[in-house]
Amino acid sequence: MEIAISIILGCCALGAGIAMIAGIGPGIGEGNAVAKACEAIGRQPESKGAVTTTMIMGCAIAETTGLYALVIAILLIFVAPNTMVGILLKAIQSL
């Protein structure tokens, strides 16, 4: 039984780590968006307002992916182990 609990805890930690890999995508995407916005403003300075507004909106939408990954990782670390161990203990008691 101790081995099963250890496996559950290890898999939850591993899943949380894998979920946080999703934070790489928004970072790269937002960096590219800012770089292209700087290029656009450099070419046409009069369009600074429109470019900046669009860039900030796009970065905010891209950041939600990273926030979803963070929420999933937090759930896997704090909620899932207790739930899974509870299910395991109920299954063992029913035998």
Side-chain angles (χ1 to χ4, degrees):
M1 181 160 129
E2 296 295 325
I3 294 174
I5 292 174
S6 298
I7 291 172
I8 289 171
L9 295 176
C11 288
C12 287
L14 184 64
I18 291 171
M20 287 313 298
I21 291 175
I24 294 171
I28 293 171
E30 290 174 22
N32 286 338
V34 171
K36 296 298 180 179
C38 288
E39 286 179 20
I41 293 170
R43 289 184 185 150
Q44 292 182 335
E46 66 275 0
S47 67
K48 178 183 177 185
V51 171
T52 303
T53 304
T54 305
M55 179 201 62
I56 290 174
M57 187 62 151
C59 286
I61 291 171
E63 188 63 31
T64 59
T65 305
L67 292 175
Y68 290 143
L70 178 65
V71 168
I72 295 299
I74 289 172
L75 288 174
L76 282 171
I77 291 173
F78 295 110
V79 177
N82 294 332
T83 305
M84 296 297 176
V85 169
I87 291 170
L88 176 68
L89 293 176
K90 284 182 186 178
I92 289 173
Q93 289 174 355
S94 68
L95 294 177

